[in-house]
Amino acid sequence: MKKAFTLVELLIVITLISILSVAVLATINPIEQTNKARDAQFKNDAAEILSAYERFFASQNKYPWNVNLSGTSYPEGTPVGLNATEPAFGVVGSAVGATDSPLFLTSELKSSFMGKVPFGATVTQMDNMWTFSNGSDSNYVCYVPKAKVNRFATPNKLKCLTIGAAPALESIGTGGCTAMVEADWAAATAAAPSATLANMMCVPE
């Protein structure tokens, strides 16, 4: 007699494999892993830009936004809030893709940095970066996180950023800055940054 699996046994094995596969996929969550990798890359880039700011200041005694480039500069000691596509941010030069910005001219950043997502011709708010300086001793580079673990597991690290006439960077619970629930994120990322909804991760934390 030949020994073989019965149809019932095969169905049980297939069912168990299916359940295990679903459990593994739910645990791994490839989309979340991709978002975490993206956030880690943005955090590294933000840290590199912040370091470049400090090196620039050490050699020039001013920050990139204090340098007149394309007719835009901010007086020393003035708080600023800028997005990555503005020349005063220090990465994008007189035009998108140009390397005549302060951080490239002084070799604080390599030209290959220009190819990163926040500095392209068409950048969404979700993939932008912002810098905030209080005008004296505190500089930050911020971005919108995509991974849920960064949006909800560590809300104390999220901040509200105001740009424009009265730039400010606030922690949750100060200056009207509040934490968000999941339903808030779609609107908040489309209109980032926000003065009242904490949707920014910043370096340093």
Side-chain angles (χ1 to χ4, degrees), residues 30-62:
I31 294 175
E32 178 69 1
Q33 295 303 320
T34 300
N35 288 341
K36 285 170 68 176
R38 177 265 190 194
D39 288 355
Q41 182 62 58
F42 269 55
K43 184 175 182 179
N44 290 339
D45 291 345
E48 191 170 346
I49 293 169
L50 190 64
S51 180
Y53 284 159
E54 299 309 320
R55 292 194 303 269
F56 185 87
F57 184 85
S59 64
Q60 307 294 321
N61 202 32
K62 59 181 65 177

Short mmCIF file of all heavy atoms in Angstrom, two decimals, residues 30-62:
data_model
loop_
_atom_site.label_atom_id
_atom_site.label_comp_id
_atom_site.label_asym_id
_atom_site.label_seq_id
_atom_site.Cartn_x
_atom_site.Cartn_y
_atom_site.Cartn_z
N PRO A 30 5.27 45.49 5.60
CA PRO A 30 6.29 46.07 4.71
C PRO A 30 6.12 47.57 4.45
O PRO A 30 7.11 48.29 4.30
CB PRO A 30 6.13 45.26 3.41
CG PRO A 30 4.80 44.60 3.51
CD PRO A 30 4.53 44.41 4.95
N ILE A 31 4.89 48.06 4.42
CA ILE A 31 4.69 49.49 4.19
C ILE A 31 5.24 50.30 5.37
O ILE A 31 5.92 51.31 5.19
CB ILE A 31 3.20 49.81 3.97
CG1 ILE A 31 2.73 49.16 2.67
CG2 ILE A 31 2.95 51.31 3.94
CD1 ILE A 31 1.24 49.28 2.41
N GLU A 32 4.96 49.82 6.58
CA GLU A 32 5.47 50.51 7.77
C GLU A 32 6.99 50.46 7.82
O GLU A 32 7.64 51.44 8.19
CB GLU A 32 4.87 49.87 9.03
CG GLU A 32 5.36 50.47 10.34
CD GLU A 32 4.87 51.90 10.60
OE1 GLU A 32 4.13 52.45 9.76
OE2 GLU A 32 5.24 52.47 11.64
N GLN A 33 7.56 49.33 7.41
CA GLN A 33 9.03 49.22 7.40
C GLN A 33 9.64 50.20 6.40
O GLN A 33 10.67 50.83 6.66
CB GLN A 33 9.45 47.78 7.05
CG GLN A 33 9.04 46.74 8.08
CD GLN A 33 9.56 47.02 9.47
OE1 GLN A 33 10.68 47.46 9.65
NE2 GLN A 33 8.72 46.80 10.47
N THR A 34 8.98 50.35 5.24
CA THR A 34 9.44 51.31 4.24
C THR A 34 9.37 52.73 4.78
O THR A 34 10.28 53.54 4.58
CB THR A 34 8.60 51.19 2.94
OG1 THR A 34 8.72 49.87 2.43
CG2 THR A 34 9.05 52.19 1.90
N ASN A 35 8.26 53.04 5.46
CA ASN A 35 8.09 54.38 6.04
C ASN A 35 9.12 54.65 7.13
O ASN A 35 9.62 55.77 7.26
CB ASN A 35 6.68 54.54 6.60
CG ASN A 35 5.64 54.66 5.50
OD1 ASN A 35 5.96 54.97 4.35
ND2 ASN A 35 4.38 54.39 5.83
N LYS A 36 9.44 53.62 7.93
CA LYS A 36 10.45 53.79 8.98
C LYS A 36 11.82 54.07 8.36
O LYS A 36 12.59 54.90 8.86
CB LYS A 36 10.50 52.56 9.87
CG LYS A 36 9.33 52.45 10.84
CD LYS A 36 9.28 51.11 11.54
CE LYS A 36 10.42 50.92 12.50
NZ LYS A 36 10.29 49.63 13.24
N ALA A 37 12.13 53.35 7.26
CA ALA A 37 13.41 53.57 6.58
C ALA A 37 13.47 54.98 6.00
O ALA A 37 14.51 55.65 6.06
CB ALA A 37 13.59 52.53 5.47
N ARG A 38 12.35 55.43 5.44
CA ARG A 38 12.29 56.79 4.89
C ARG A 38 12.52 57.83 5.99
O ARG A 38 13.28 58.78 5.84
CB ARG A 38 10.95 57.01 4.22
CG ARG A 38 10.72 58.42 3.67
CD ARG A 38 9.98 59.28 4.68
NE ARG A 38 9.54 60.54 4.14
CZ ARG A 38 9.12 61.54 4.89
NH1 ARG A 38 9.09 61.43 6.21
NH2 ARG A 38 8.71 62.66 4.33
N ASP A 39 11.87 57.65 7.15
CA ASP A 39 12.03 58.59 8.26
C ASP A 39 13.47 58.59 8.77
O ASP A 39 14.02 59.65 9.11
CB ASP A 39 11.08 58.23 9.41
CG ASP A 39 9.63 58.55 9.09
OD1 ASP A 39 9.37 59.14 8.02
OD2 ASP A 39 8.76 58.20 9.91
N ALA A 40 14.08 57.41 8.81
CA ALA A 40 15.47 57.33 9.26
C ALA A 40 16.39 58.09 8.30
O ALA A 40 17.33 58.78 8.74
CB ALA A 40 15.90 55.87 9.36
N GLN A 41 16.11 57.99 6.98
CA GLN A 41 16.92 58.71 6.00
C GLN A 41 16.75 60.21 6.16
O GLN A 41 17.73 60.97 6.13
CB GLN A 41 16.52 58.29 4.58
CG GLN A 41 17.33 58.97 3.48
CD GLN A 41 18.80 58.63 3.57
OE1 GLN A 41 19.18 57.47 3.52
NE2 GLN A 41 19.65 59.65 3.70
N PHE A 42 15.50 60.66 6.35
CA PHE A 42 15.26 62.09 6.54
C PHE A 42 15.93 62.59 7.82
O PHE A 42 16.47 63.71 7.86
CB PHE A 42 13.75 62.37 6.59
CG PHE A 42 13.16 62.69 5.24
CD1 PHE A 42 13.31 61.81 4.18
CD2 PHE A 42 12.45 63.86 5.03
CE1 PHE A 42 12.77 62.10 2.93
CE2 PHE A 42 11.91 64.16 3.78
CZ PHE A 42 12.07 63.27 2.73
N LYS A 43 15.91 61.77 8.86
CA LYS A 43 16.56 62.17 10.11
C LYS A 43 18.06 62.32 9.92
O LYS A 43 18.67 63.29 10.40
CB LYS A 43 16.27 61.14 11.20
CG LYS A 43 16.83 61.51 12.56
CD LYS A 43 16.42 60.51 13.62
CE LYS A 43 16.95 60.92 14.99
NZ LYS A 43 16.53 59.96 16.05
N ASN A 44 18.68 61.39 9.18
CA ASN A 44 20.11 61.48 8.90
C ASN A 44 20.44 62.71 8.07
O ASN A 44 21.43 63.41 8.33
CB ASN A 44 20.59 60.22 8.18
CG ASN A 44 20.59 59.00 9.08
OD1 ASN A 44 20.63 59.12 10.30
ND2 ASN A 44 20.54 57.82 8.48
N ASP A 45 19.61 62.98 7.05
CA ASP A 45 19.83 64.15 6.20
C ASP A 45 19.68 65.44 7.01
O ASP A 45 20.45 66.39 6.84
CB ASP A 45 18.86 64.16 5.02
CG ASP A 45 19.14 63.04 4.02
OD1 ASP A 45 20.24 62.45 4.10
OD2 ASP A 45 18.27 62.77 3.19
N ALA A 46 18.67 65.47 7.89
CA ALA A 46 18.45 66.66 8.73
C ALA A 46 19.65 66.90 9.64
O ALA A 46 20.10 68.04 9.82
CB ALA A 46 17.18 66.49 9.56
N ALA A 47 20.19 65.82 10.19
CA ALA A 47 21.36 65.94 11.07
C ALA A 47 22.57 66.44 10.28
O ALA A 47 23.37 67.25 10.79
CB ALA A 47 21.67 64.60 11.72
N GLU A 48 22.70 65.99 9.03
CA GLU A 48 23.83 66.43 8.20
C GLU A 48 23.71 67.91 7.86
O GLU A 48 24.70 68.65 7.88
CB GLU A 48 23.89 65.59 6.93
CG GLU A 48 25.16 65.79 6.13
CD GLU A 48 25.34 64.79 5.00
OE1 GLU A 48 24.64 63.77 4.99
OE2 GLU A 48 26.19 65.05 4.13
N ILE A 49 22.50 68.36 7.57
CA ILE A 49 22.28 69.78 7.27
C ILE A 49 22.57 70.62 8.51
O ILE A 49 23.23 71.66 8.44
CB ILE A 49 20.84 70.02 6.78
CG1 ILE A 49 20.64 69.36 5.42
CG2 ILE A 49 20.54 71.51 6.69
CD1 ILE A 49 19.19 69.30 4.98
N LEU A 50 22.08 70.18 9.66
CA LEU A 50 22.30 70.92 10.90
C LEU A 50 23.79 71.04 11.20
O LEU A 50 24.27 72.10 11.60
CB LEU A 50 21.57 70.23 12.05
CG LEU A 50 21.51 71.00 13.37
CD1 LEU A 50 20.71 72.29 13.21
CD2 LEU A 50 20.89 70.13 14.46
N SER A 51 24.51 69.95 10.99
CA SER A 51 25.96 69.97 11.20
C SER A 51 26.63 70.94 10.23
O SER A 51 27.56 71.67 10.59
CB SER A 51 26.52 68.56 11.02
OG SER A 51 27.91 68.54 11.21
N ALA A 52 26.14 70.97 8.98
CA ALA A 52 26.69 71.89 7.98
C ALA A 52 26.44 73.34 8.39
O ALA A 52 27.29 74.21 8.18
CB ALA A 52 26.07 71.60 6.61
N TYR A 53 25.26 73.62 8.97
CA TYR A 53 24.97 74.97 9.47
C TYR A 53 26.02 75.40 10.49
O TYR A 53 26.52 76.53 10.45
CB TYR A 53 23.60 75.01 10.14
CG TYR A 53 22.40 75.00 9.22
CD1 TYR A 53 21.15 74.61 9.70
CD2 TYR A 53 22.50 75.38 7.88
CE1 TYR A 53 20.04 74.60 8.87
CE2 TYR A 53 21.39 75.36 7.05
CZ TYR A 53 20.16 74.98 7.55
OH TYR A 53 19.06 74.98 6.74
N GLU A 54 26.32 74.51 11.42
CA GLU A 54 27.24 74.87 12.50
C GLU A 54 28.66 75.05 11.97
O GLU A 54 29.39 75.94 12.43
CB GLU A 54 27.19 73.82 13.61
CG GLU A 54 25.83 73.67 14.27
CD GLU A 54 25.25 75.02 14.72
OE1 GLU A 54 26.00 75.88 15.23
OE2 GLU A 54 24.03 75.23 14.55
N ARG A 55 29.06 74.23 11.01
CA ARG A 55 30.39 74.40 10.41
C ARG A 55 30.46 75.72 9.64
O ARG A 55 31.47 76.43 9.68
CB ARG A 55 30.72 73.22 9.48
CG ARG A 55 30.93 71.91 10.20
CD ARG A 55 31.58 70.86 9.30
NE ARG A 55 30.80 70.62 8.09
CZ ARG A 55 29.84 69.70 7.98
NH1 ARG A 55 29.52 68.96 9.04
NH2 ARG A 55 29.20 69.53 6.85
N PHE A 56 29.37 76.04 8.94
CA PHE A 56 29.31 77.30 8.19
C PHE A 56 29.43 78.48 9.15
O PHE A 56 30.17 79.44 8.90
CB PHE A 56 27.99 77.38 7.42
CG PHE A 56 27.86 78.58 6.53
CD1 PHE A 56 28.33 78.57 5.23
CD2 PHE A 56 27.26 79.75 7.00
CE1 PHE A 56 28.21 79.68 4.40
CE2 PHE A 56 27.14 80.87 6.19
CZ PHE A 56 27.62 80.84 4.88
N PHE A 57 28.72 78.40 10.27
CA PHE A 57 28.78 79.48 11.26
C PHE A 57 30.18 79.61 11.84
O PHE A 57 30.67 80.72 12.07
CB PHE A 57 27.77 79.24 12.39
CG PHE A 57 27.70 80.36 13.38
CD1 PHE A 57 26.90 81.47 13.14
CD2 PHE A 57 28.45 80.33 14.55
CE1 PHE A 57 26.84 82.52 14.05
CE2 PHE A 57 28.40 81.36 15.47
CZ PHE A 57 27.59 82.46 15.21
N ALA A 58 30.84 78.49 12.08
CA ALA A 58 32.19 78.52 12.65
C ALA A 58 33.18 79.23 11.74
O ALA A 58 34.10 79.91 12.21
CB ALA A 58 32.67 77.09 12.93
N SER A 59 32.97 79.10 10.42
CA SER A 59 33.90 79.73 9.48
C SER A 59 33.46 81.12 9.02
O SER A 59 34.30 81.97 8.71
CB SER A 59 34.11 78.83 8.26
OG SER A 59 32.89 78.68 7.55
N GLN A 60 32.15 81.38 9.01
CA GLN A 60 31.64 82.64 8.47
C GLN A 60 31.06 83.58 9.54
O GLN A 60 30.74 84.73 9.25
CB GLN A 60 30.54 82.36 7.43
CG GLN A 60 30.95 81.40 6.34
CD GLN A 60 32.03 81.94 5.45
OE1 GLN A 60 32.04 83.12 5.10
NE2 GLN A 60 32.98 81.09 5.07
N ASN A 61 30.86 83.05 10.73
CA ASN A 61 30.26 83.83 11.83
C ASN A 61 28.84 84.28 11.50
O ASN A 61 28.38 85.32 11.99
CB ASN A 61 31.13 85.03 12.22
CG ASN A 61 30.84 85.50 13.63
OD1 ASN A 61 30.49 84.70 14.50
ND2 ASN A 61 30.97 86.79 13.87
N LYS A 62 28.16 83.53 10.68
CA LYS A 62 26.75 83.77 10.35
C LYS A 62 26.19 82.48 9.77
O LYS A 62 26.94 81.56 9.43
CB LYS A 62 26.58 84.93 9.38
CG LYS A 62 27.30 84.76 8.05
CD LYS A 62 27.10 85.97 7.14
CE LYS A 62 27.72 87.21 7.73
NZ LYS A 62 27.60 88.39 6.84
#
